[in-house]
């Protein structure tokens, strides 16, 4: 069941499955609104297992529905992931981590939407983030002149209002706009679902924009005094889907990565392997996708016992 906001990509998947020759009935797609359609699937006694990707609020509701039948429910939910910048990180590594939240116009549950930076390099990190965001243009879909790094609109008017509301909230709570902010980006229709890619500095981890999932191209920069504080800030969230670490010393970066409470951590890279399990800790869900562990969520163990054969006497 695809999201009612973005169903077309699911139609393409269904067409590809049909073209592959998969037997009828192995795969079925049901479209409809979440409350009406999703709840029926979650509560139906002939549905053995529910796997859901979406918001933490809906995931929590589906777990409650499934519990009524002791049904297995596996979820991949929201995130408020952090990129921890160590004091020996290169400018290229900092820029890579800063730009991660721009992918898919920020509409990724594992986007690195907080960047935790050493106070000794705070101004430098803010400037690198500013340059990274300003190198990206907001463009209309299908623009033949758009570059690979340019981004498009958000998924809906509702999402646009939500993201701009968070930008206003950040301003109201005292965060400093380094680039972006409110208003329509240049060169796109004011009627579209566009927002300016926005970098906030002078953020503390108690602010709303540092705790709640924005799901848009908004980066919050938070300073830290020492490595222990950086880890504490990164882990100070109800979510635990993803995190990142940037540093020139790989052994040190890997040590910091091992202390972060999330289902995955990117070290000096934002790429991920389809063979590695993807999923979260805490309120980012309990399911896993990809690789061996992604398959195991859909399997159930069964034992069959039979009489032990006795050796015949000669």
């Amino acid at each position: 069941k695809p999201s009612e906001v973005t169903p077309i990509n699911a139609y393409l998947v269904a067409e590809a499955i049909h073209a592959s020759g998969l037997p009828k009935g192995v795969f079925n797609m049901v479209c409809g609104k979440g409350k009406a359609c999703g709840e029926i699937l979650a509560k139906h006694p002939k549905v053995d297992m529910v796997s859901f990707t979406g918001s933490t609020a809906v995931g929590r509701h589906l777990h409650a529905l499934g519990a009524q039948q002791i049904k297995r429910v596996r979820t991949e939910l929201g995130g408020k992931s952090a990129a921890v910048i160590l004091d020996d990180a290169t400018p290229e590594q900092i820029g890579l981590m800063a730009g991660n939240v721009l992918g898919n116009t920020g509409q990724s549950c594992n986007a690195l939407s907080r960047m935790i930076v050493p106070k000794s390099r705070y101004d430098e990190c803010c400037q690198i983030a500013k340059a990274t965001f300003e190198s990206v243009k907001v463009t209309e879909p299908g623009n033949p002149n758009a570059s690979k790094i340019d981004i498009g609109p958000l998924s809906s008017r509702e999402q646009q209002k939500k993201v701009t509301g968070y930008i206003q909230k950040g301003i109201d709570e005292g965060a400093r706009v380094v680039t972006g902010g409110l208003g329509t980006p240049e060169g796109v229709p004011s009627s579209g679902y566009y927002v300016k890619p926005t970098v906030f500095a002078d953020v503390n981890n108690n602010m709303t924009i540092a705790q709640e999932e924005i799901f848009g191209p908004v980066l919050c920069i938070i300073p830290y005094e020492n490595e222990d504080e950086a880890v504490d800030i990164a882990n100070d969230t109800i979510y635990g889907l993803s995190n990142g670490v940037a540093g020139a010393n790989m052994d040190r970066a890997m040590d910091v990565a091992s202390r972060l409470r999330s289902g995955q951590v990117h070290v000096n890279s934002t790429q991920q392997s389809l063979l590695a399990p993807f999923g979260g800790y805490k309120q980012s869900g309990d399911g896993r996708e990809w690789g061996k562990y992604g398959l195991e969520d859909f399997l159930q163990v069964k034992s069959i016992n039979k009489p032990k054969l006795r050796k015949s006497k000669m």
Side-chain angles (χ1 to χ4, degrees):
K1 182 224 164 288
S3 165
E4 62 268 26
V5 179
T6 55
I8 295 176
N9 59 345
Y11 275 95
L12 297 176
V13 172
E15 289 175 1
I17 290 174
H18 178 71
S20 74
L22 194 71
K24 292 182 178 180
V26 175
F27 170 87
N28 294 287
M29 186 172 76
V30 180
C31 292
K33 292 198 173 182
K35 190 169 180 63
C37 184
E39 284 196 6
I40 292 173
L41 291 173
K43 294 191 294 187
H44 201 286
K46 290 189 176 182
V47 175
D48 294 326
M49 185 262 191
V50 174
S51 175
F52 171 75
T53 298
S55 73
T56 295
V58 175
R60 190 181 296 116
H61 180 57
L62 292 176
H63 272 290
L65 292 176
Q68 297 174 18
Q69 300 175 35
I70 320 298
K71 180 179 297 187
R72 182 184 300 186
V73 176
R74 291 293 179 264
T75 52
E76 191 271 284
L77 307 173
K80 195 64 186 178
S81 306
V84 177
I85 308 300
L86 300 179
D87 56 15
D88 63 347
T90 67
E92 291 76 19
Q93 291 169 339
I94 298 169
L96 178 69
M97 292 292 173
N100 174 264
V101 74
L102 294 171
N104 205 30
T105 317
Q107 299 166 116
S108 299
C109 50
N110 60 336
L112 301 175
S113 56
R114 295 180 295 155
M115 193 164 78
I116 303 170
V117 307
K119 283 188 176 180
S120 61
R121 300 183 65 185
Y122 183 66
D123 291 340
E124 177 191 5
C125 289
C126 289
Q127 288 304 309
I128 291 173
K130 181 177 186 292
T132 300
F133 271 57
E134 291 181 352
S135 69
V136 173
K137 293 181 179 179
V138 179
T139 184
E140 293 183 75
N143 181 357
N145 298 317
S147 73
K148 291 183 179 180
I149 64 171
D150 291 342
I151 63 175
L154 294 167
S155 61
S156 65
R157 177 70 69 194
E158 181 181 354
Q159 186 61 25
Q160 183 197 37
K161 290 180 179 178
K162 177 183 175 184
V163 174
T164 54
Y166 274 117
I167 293 173
Q168 182 64 63
K169 188 72 171 178
I171 295 170
D172 293 343
E173 292 186 352
R176 172 168 57 93
V177 176
V178 175
T179 189
L182 298 169
T184 304
E186 294 182 3
V188 293
S190 59
S191 59
Y193 310 147
Y194 300 98
V195 296
K196 294 180 180 179
T198 299
V199 175
F200 279 112
D202 303 344
V203 178
N204 69 66
N205 211 47
N206 294 319
M207 289 182 177
T208 303
I209 57 172
Q211 285 295 317
E212 297 184 9
E213 185 179 39
I214 297 174
F215 221 59
V218 180
L219 178 67
C220 301
I221 302 180
I222 305 170
Y224 69 85
E225 290 279 3
N226 55 60
E227 198 172 283
D228 288 340
E229 185 186 17
V231 171
D232 287 343
I233 293 171
N235 289 335
D236 182 20
T237 170
I238 64 171
Y239 299 109
L241 185 56
S242 183
N243 282 301
V245 182
N249 185 318
M250 180 59 79
D251 289 339
R252 180 187 175 201
M254 290 294 290
D255 179 67
V256 172
S258 70
R259 299 169 63 192
L260 299 177
R261 292 278 299 155
S262 58
Q264 62 175 354
V265 182
H266 301 282
V267 178
N268 294 336
S269 172
T270 56
Q271 296 183 354
Q272 50 202 44
S273 169
L274 293 179
L275 298 178
F278 175 85
Y281 289 4
K282 300 185 279 188
Q283 293 190 41
S284 286
D286 61 354
R288 290 295 180 270
E289 301 172 1
W290 307 344
K292 172 188 173 184
Y293 296 98
L295 292 174
E296 288 182 349
D297 270 355
F298 295 87
L299 302 177
Q300 193 162 16
V301 176
K302 179 177 183 177
S303 296
I304 299 178
N305 298 282
K306 64 179 183 179
K308 183 178 181 180
L309 294 177
R310 297 181 179 180
K311 292 183 179 180
S312 59
K313 294 181 180 181
M314 299 299 292

